[in-house]
């Protein structure tokens, strides 16, 4: 039988994340959006609270939580700021290749460190001219004995400006396409590794995004996560396991925009009545609620498939493109209810609109998700 009820432990975790979002994230979200700067101390507090690195297995000292728990946490934080939710969850994205690798030594070395110390891990497949086309990457990994030498640039890398470790995907031969891609764990401060300036963005400005450039950077054999030919599968498997959480970014932001619109409609008067007394407004709100509920169910389904050991690829893509597109629609309709005020910075709706344009692009565009499903 189907059962959509959460366990007491999951409810406790969700409520902890909600308190964190209200007490820590919401008070600073708009200030750091204005500054276009990541508040690193908020990520440290998230680590302190135990709402980061949720999926690290217990045998490495972690909590051993599932993707559904991650979805619950991310929805709550995204309801306050999807940019900070992105940077907090990015550690799980960066860690996923470590969980998937057959390199047992690197697991045993690094995963306990992430549990005991506040360390950030980012994930890099994209390049300046290769985003959705992962197999078209040009960042070169040249064999040197048992080591590899990296040359090239990765781009659009969340948290790269503050990360301690980078999971890097590069190719031994661009002409081989996906068959040439390998994966590596690169550490901050290595010779030949340089992080670029923060990339200015329209939204999610409280989340750091930058490029990483490699000039003859040597990666020792013990830091190889996937050999050539195995890296593409690792990247795609990672996305299948993390894309449901992109849906949660949408659910959280859409939920907040809807709640703000409901509150405004009850208070704002026009033509001698409250906005909420007009059926046209009621219909907008009903459709918002339908989209939030549908997006959450699709996200939970994909997360549940992952946690049940099933292949979540199709459900993850459906959840991602539905939830992110629905979120943008919900926020846009919320702005319409606010009218001219919604277009100003006097209310938070314009930030939600800017923030929700991005999830339809990162971790595979909506178009790519349709390719996966088709």
């Amino acid at each position: 039988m189907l059962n959509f009820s959460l366990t007491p432990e999951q409810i406790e975790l969700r409520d902890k994340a909600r308190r964190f979002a209200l007490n820590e994230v919401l008070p600073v979200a708009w200030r750091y959006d204005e500054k276009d700067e990541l508040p690193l101390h908020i990520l440290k507090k998230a680590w302190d609270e135990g709402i980061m690195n949720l999926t690290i297995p217990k045998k490495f000292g972690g909590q051993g939580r599932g993707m559904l728990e991650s979805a619950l946490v991310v929805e709550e934080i995204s309801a306050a700021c999807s940019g900070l939710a992105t940077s907090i969850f990015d550690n799980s994205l960066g860690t996923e290749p470590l969980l998937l690798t057959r390199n047992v030594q690197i697991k045993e070395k690094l995963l306990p460190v992430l549990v005991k110390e506040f360390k950030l891990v980012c994930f890099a497949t994209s390049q300046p001219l290769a985003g959705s086309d992962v197999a078209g990457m040009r960042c070169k990994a040249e064999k040197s004995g048992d080591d590899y030498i990296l040359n090239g640039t990765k781009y659009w890398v969340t948290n790269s400006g503050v990360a301690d470790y980078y999971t890097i995907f590069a190719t031994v031969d661009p002409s081989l396409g996906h068959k040439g891609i390998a994966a590596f764990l690169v550490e901050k401060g290595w010779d030949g590794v340089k992080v670029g300036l923060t990339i200015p963005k329209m939204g999610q400005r409280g989340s750091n995004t930058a490029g990483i450039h490699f000039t003859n950077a040597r990666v020792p054999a013990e830091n190889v996560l996937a050999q050539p030919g195995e890296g593409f599968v690792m990247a795609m498997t990672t996305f299948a396991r993390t894309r449901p959480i992109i849906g949660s970014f949408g659910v959280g932001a859409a939920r907040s925009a809807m709640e703000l619109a409901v509150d405004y409609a009850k208070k704002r008067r026009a033509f001698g009545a409250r906005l909420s007394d007009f059926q046209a407004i009621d219909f907008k709100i009903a459709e918002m609620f339908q989209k939030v509920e549908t997006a959450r169910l699709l996200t939970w389904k994909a997360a549940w498939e992952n946690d049940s050991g099933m292949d979540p690829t199709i459900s993850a893509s459906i959840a991602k493109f539905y939830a992110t597109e629905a979120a943008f629609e919900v926020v846009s309709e919320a702005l319409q209810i606010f009218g001219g005020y919604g277009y100003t910075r006097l209310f938070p709706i314009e930030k939600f609109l800017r923030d929700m344009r991005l999830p339809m692009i990162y971790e595979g565009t909506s178009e790519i998700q349709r390719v996966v499903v088709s």
Side-chain angles (χ1 to χ4, degrees):
M1 294 291 292
L2 293 175
N3 186 344
F4 293 100
S5 61
L6 299 175
T7 67
E9 292 78 13
Q10 289 170 334
I11 293 172
E12 182 182 0
L13 179 64
R14 182 198 63 188
D15 292 348
K16 177 195 283 190
R18 182 172 297 179
R19 289 192 298 271
F20 181 83
L22 290 172
N23 297 333
E24 303 294 345
V25 176
L26 190 59
V28 304
W30 276 264
R31 184 197 320 162
Y32 285 95
D33 176 79
E34 186 73 25
K35 294 174 68 175
D36 195 5
E37 181 181 313
L38 170 68
L40 192 59
H41 68 281
I42 297 297
L43 273 62
K44 174 61 164 60
K45 287 183 179 180
W47 183 83
D48 289 336
E49 288 288 329
I51 55 176
M52 185 183 282
N53 301 328
L54 293 172
T55 57
I56 294 178
K58 291 182 178 179
K59 67 179 180 179
F60 297 109
Q63 299 182 50
R65 303 274 193 172
M67 199 57 65
L68 180 55
E69 285 83 5
S70 294
L72 296 173
V73 168
V74 167
E75 177 183 333
E76 296 303 327
I77 299 176
S78 185
C81 179
S82 63
L84 280 171
T86 295
S87 275
I88 290 171
F89 178 73
D90 190 61
N91 244 39
S92 292
L93 174 62
T95 303
E96 194 62 36
L98 283 164
L99 302 179
L100 294 172
T101 185
R102 293 183 293 178
N103 183 343
V104 178
Q105 289 76 21
I106 197 73
K107 290 178 189 274
E108 294 176 342
K109 173 185 176 183
L110 190 58
L111 291 176
V113 172
L114 297 176
V115 174
K116 296 174 183 177
E117 302 177 35
F118 175 60
K119 299 288 186 180
L120 298 179
V121 190
C122 63
F123 177 96
T125 54
S126 296
Q127 297 182 194
L129 298 177
S132 296
D133 182 15
V134 175
M137 68 174 60
R138 292 292 182 269
C139 186
K140 191 74 181 294
E142 184 178 355
K143 188 79 168 170
S144 176
D146 291 331
D147 301 343
Y148 282 87
I149 307 296
L150 296 183
N151 281 284
T153 301
K154 308 304 291 186
Y155 211 56
W156 312 115
V157 187
T158 301
N159 285 358
S160 60
V162 295
D164 301 283
Y165 305 97
Y166 321 105
T167 50
I168 302 296
F169 292 79
T171 181
V172 294
D173 184 351
S175 68
L176 294 176
H178 68 275
K179 295 181 180 179
I181 297 174
F184 312 91
L185 181 77
V186 175
E187 298 185 23
K188 179 181 181 179
W190 279 2
D191 291 341
V193 179
K194 182 180 180 181
V195 177
L197 298 175
T198 299
I199 300 170
K201 307 190 297 293
M202 178 176 77
Q204 298 210 6
R205 291 159 53 87
S207 175
N208 173 262
T209 309
I212 309 173
H213 187 70
F214 302 101
T215 305
N216 296 323
R218 179 175 291 274
V219 181
E222 57 265 28
N223 281 50
V224 177
L225 299 176
Q227 295 292 338
E230 299 176 347
F232 182 81
V233 174
M234 176 178 280
M236 294 303 103
T237 303
T238 295
F239 288 143
R241 291 163 63 93
T242 58
R243 277 173 178 159
I245 306 306
I246 310 303
S248 291
F249 293 136
V251 175
R255 190 189 85 197
S256 276
M258 176 189 67
E259 290 171 349
L260 288 165
V262 169
D263 182 69
Y264 187 79
K266 288 179 177 179
K267 296 175 179 177
R268 177 78 157 89
R269 298 185 67 85
F271 305 103
R274 299 182 306 172
L275 291 186
S276 59
D277 293 332
F278 295 98
Q279 191 177 57
I281 301 299
D282 291 344
F283 280 7
K284 285 181 183 294
I285 291 171
E287 290 184 6
M288 289 180 188
F289 186 63
Q290 173 262 315
K291 288 174 181 176
V292 170
E293 288 290 296
T294 304
R296 182 184 292 113
L297 287 172
L298 288 170
T299 298
W300 282 15
K301 178 177 183 287
W304 171 80
E305 286 185 3
N306 176 83
D307 294 342
S308 299
M310 303 164 64
D311 181 359
T313 301
I314 300 300
S315 292
S317 287
I318 292 173
K320 183 187 184 296
F321 82 69
Y322 179 85
T324 56
E325 291 176 8
F328 190 75
E329 293 165 1
V330 167
V331 175
S332 181
E333 285 291 73
L335 192 152
Q336 191 72 13
I337 290 174
F338 272 82
Y341 283 112
Y343 198 67
T344 71
R345 294 193 175 186
L346 298 174
F347 289 90
I349 298 297
E350 62 86 25
K351 177 181 181 298
F352 279 116
L353 192 73
R354 288 186 288 108
D355 287 350
M356 279 299 100
R357 190 59 189 86
L358 181 56
M360 291 184 281
I361 298 173
Y362 63 21
E363 278 204 43
T365 64
S366 289
E367 291 75 17
I368 289 297
Q369 305 316 313
R370 285 169 167 82
V371 170
V372 172
V373 173
S374 64

